[in-house]
């Protein structure tokens, strides 16, 4: 976990690269995420705030149980729900994250239909996945100004001929980039964070 200071504010940033389910099973991811949540809770208590962001390659989709589950990252697609900060599940208070990556599931015209493409021979194949994600605690949700999947950098394409990530020359994932507004002005970008 990193603590980033900008101006008079600090942010907590957890950079993640969870193991692929091609090489590990979901139980391994459950253990890793449980440890991650414990570290985040500990750092938030120590810092005295929840200006927390988790960003990276989750090797999970936004709808995966480890991402949405109350015993996992507890990330929802709704800013409004996250404004409550937490919810009680089986008598335990569980803090929540906002996951804006839901908007990238499928075609939207401007962005590719995901950050990773995998052609599976199984009967249930998603093909496109949104494995690269950013999760924000309530204190940061209204400060999200922009969020994009990057498939081109100026004239340089990160896509192959099929529009998928060019894993031979670049990576098997498209990077994401986000902008957060400063606390004073919700218009001006305060910081840029990118993931690849």
């Amino acid at each position: 976990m990193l603590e980033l200071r900008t101006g008079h504010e600090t942010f907590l940033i957890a950079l993640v690269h969870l193991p692929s389910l091609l090489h590990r099973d979901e139980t391994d991811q459950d253990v890793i995420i449980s440890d991650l949540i414990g570290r985040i809770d500990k750092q938030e208590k120590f810092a005295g705030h929840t200006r927390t962001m988790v960003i990276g390659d989750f090797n999970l989709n936004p709808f995966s149980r480890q991402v949405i589950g109350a015993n996992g990252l507890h990330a929802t697609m709704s800013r409004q729900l996250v404004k409550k900060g937490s919810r009680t599940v089986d008598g335990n208070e569980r803090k929540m994250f906002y996951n804006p990556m839901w908007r990238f599931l499928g075609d939207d015209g401007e962005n590719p239909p995901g950050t990773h493409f995998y052609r599976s021979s199984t009967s249930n194949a998603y093909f496109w996945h949104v494995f690269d994600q950013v999760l924000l605690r309530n204190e940061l949700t209204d400060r999200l100004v922009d969020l994009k999947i990057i498939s081109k950098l100026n004239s340089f394409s990160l896509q192959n001929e099929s529009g998928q990530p060019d894993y031979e020359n670049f990576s098997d994932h498209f990077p994401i980039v986000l902008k957060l507004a400063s606390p004073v002005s919700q218009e001006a970008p305060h910081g840029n964070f990118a993931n690849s």
Side-chain angles (χ1 to χ4, degrees), residues 128-140:
W128 280 99
H129 302 269
V130 180
F131 286 166
D132 305 274
Q133 300 177 54
V134 59
L135 309 180
L136 304 168
R137 286 282 199 220
N138 178 43
E139 286 188 56
L140 297 178

Side-chain angles (χ1 to χ4, degrees), residues 17-34:
H17 189 177
L18 300 179
S20 169
L21 290 175
L22 294 174
H23 309 292
R24 306 277 288 273
D25 67 22
E26 289 189 351
T27 305
D28 295 324
Q29 287 187 330
D30 291 343
V31 170
I32 292 167
I33 287 176
S34 177

Side-chain angles (χ1 to χ4, degrees), residues 22-23 27 51-52 56 88 105 132 146 150 163 192:
L22 294 174
H23 309 292
T27 305
R51 288 184 300 278
T52 306
T88 302
L105 292 168
D132 305 274
D146 195 18
I150 305 299
N192 293 325

Side-chain angles (χ1 to χ4, degrees), residues 76-128:
T76 179
M77 66 181 82
S78 168
R79 284 184 206 217
Q80 196 61 35
L81 289 173
V82 174
K83 290 212 179 284
K84 296 177 183 178
S86 65
R87 70 184 181 114
T88 302
V89 179
D90 294 329
N92 297 308
E93 185 180 351
R94 306 287 184 169
K95 287 192 257 182
M96 300 174 78
F97 280 103
Y98 169 54
N99 189 347
M101 299 306 295
W102 281 85
R103 69 181 80 166
F104 297 114
L105 292 168
D107 294 325
D108 78 349
E110 183 180 330
N111 291 284
T115 63
H116 177 73
F117 183 86
Y118 177 69
R119 187 178 306 280
S120 173
S121 59
T122 62
S123 58
N124 291 327
Y126 297 120
F127 299 104
W128 280 99

